């Protein structure tokens, strides 16, 4: 799956953020920090604006982040894709033909090894690697897993976006409106 050469995946915390995202021509984005009661209406609105949005399953308020919640969201809400740190959530989304991003935090060599093992078991479409400001880890994870990498976390300058992309990232997740503006189509 390609992200249509979209360097930035806007990470949206609020509906005001989503309205700001709509001022750009971004096709793909990520919903974060959402209340379970808002999910359906927010995704209906996003689809009406021709946006393909991922939902961060671990950050839904009022819904467990397990495979049953993933099944409910995938079948009822039908997001373009989901993001989770949990292997069972990723596996269930993939079984239901929903794009899946495995979020992983690489803070040391041990965390890196655990992440690679978990990725091999869950087989996500993408890996979101945090922090995204370590280009050598982007290259290493991409080479070892064969998966497309999305870099996220602590990236706040255009040069850091370019470094991550040059290291092999397919895109960058960010809530920085400055970066949305800078890289907007």
């Amino acid at each position: 799956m390609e992200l249509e050469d979209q360097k930035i995946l806007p990470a949206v915390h609020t509906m005001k953020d989503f309205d700001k995202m709509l001022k750009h021509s971004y096709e793909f984005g990520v919903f974060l920090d959402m209340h379970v009661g808002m999910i359906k209406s927010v995704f209906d609105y996003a689809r009406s604006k021709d946006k393909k949005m991922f939902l961060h399953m671990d950050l839904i308020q009022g819904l467990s982040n397990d495979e049953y919640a993933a099944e409910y969201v995938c079948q009822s809400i039908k997001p373009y894709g989901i993001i989770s740190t949990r292997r069972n959530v990723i596996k269930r989304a993939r079984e239901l033909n929903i794009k899946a991003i495995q979020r992983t935090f690489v803070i040391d060599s041990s965390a890196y090894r655990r992440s690679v093992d978990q990725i091999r078991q869950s087989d996500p479409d993408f890996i979101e690697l945090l922090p995204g400001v370590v280009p050598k880890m982007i290259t290493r994870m991409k080479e070892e897993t064969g998966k497309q990498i999305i870099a996220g976390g602590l990236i706040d300058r255009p040069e850091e976006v370019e470094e991550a992309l040059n290291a092999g990232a397919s895109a960058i997740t960010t809530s920085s409106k400055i970066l949305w503006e800078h890289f907007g189509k």
Side-chain angles (χ1 to χ4, degrees):
M1 175 190 83
E2 293 298 317
L3 296 172
E4 309 302 322
D5 298 320
Q6 185 175 311
K7 293 180 180 180
I8 297 291
L9 291 178
V12 175
H13 287 277
T14 66
M15 286 310 292
K16 282 184 180 181
D17 289 349
F18 187 61
D19 287 335
K20 288 177 184 173
M21 179 188 155
L22 292 175
K23 293 178 181 174
H24 301 282
S25 60
Y26 291 117
E27 180 180 5
F28 300 92
V30 177
F31 282 125
L32 307 168
D33 304 323
M34 191 171 295
H35 185 278
V36 66
M38 293 181 58
I39 297 172
K40 181 160 178 28
S41 61
V42 169
F43 270 88
D44 288 345
Y45 182 59
R47 278 190 280 277
S48 78
K49 300 295 184 182
D50 296 320
K51 301 302 176 191
K52 296 177 181 172
M53 300 297 291
F54 290 87
L55 177 61
H56 198 307
M57 291 291 300
D58 301 353
L59 300 178
I60 298 172
Q61 301 153 11
L63 191 65
S64 177
N65 57 347
D66 60 18
E67 65 271 18
Y68 303 108
E71 184 173 327
Y72 166 75
V73 166
C74 292
Q75 291 177 341
S76 300
I77 308 302
K78 298 179 177 78
Y80 180 76
I82 60 103
I83 299 174
S84 181
T85 58
R86 300 186 178 270
R87 179 181 62 233
N88 56 342
V89 170
I90 297 297
K91 288 177 80 169
R92 189 64 186 131
R94 296 269 292 147
E95 291 167 0
L96 295 168
N97 296 314
I98 298 293
K99 299 294 181 196
I101 300 174
Q102 177 91 42
R103 180 179 251 199
T104 187
F105 298 89
V106 179
I107 57 172
D108 60 22
S109 297
S110 180
Y112 176 81
R113 288 281 12 119
R114 283 191 308 275
S115 293
V116 169
D117 291 343
Q118 187 173 25
I119 288 160
R120 287 192 173 130
Q121 293 174 29
S122 64
D123 190 31
D125 294 290
F126 288 97
I127 300 164
E128 183 184 26
L129 184 67
L130 288 95
V133 291
V134 186
K136 78 176 190 177
M137 295 311 297
I138 294 168
T139 302
R140 185 173 170 191
M141 182 70 77
K142 183 175 182 176
E143 288 173 354
E144 189 160 347
T145 65
K147 298 289 182 182
Q148 292 186 63
I149 305 296
I150 297 170
L154 304 178
I155 297 174
D156 54 15
R157 295 179 309 146
E159 305 82 48
E160 293 168 331
V161 171
E162 294 298 341
E163 288 171 3
L165 294 170
N166 290 337
S170 297
I172 309 304
T173 54
T174 183
S175 58
S176 168
K177 282 33 154 227
I178 293 168
L179 292 178
W180 296 6
E181 191 72 33
H182 183 84
F183 290 97
K185 295 180 182 179

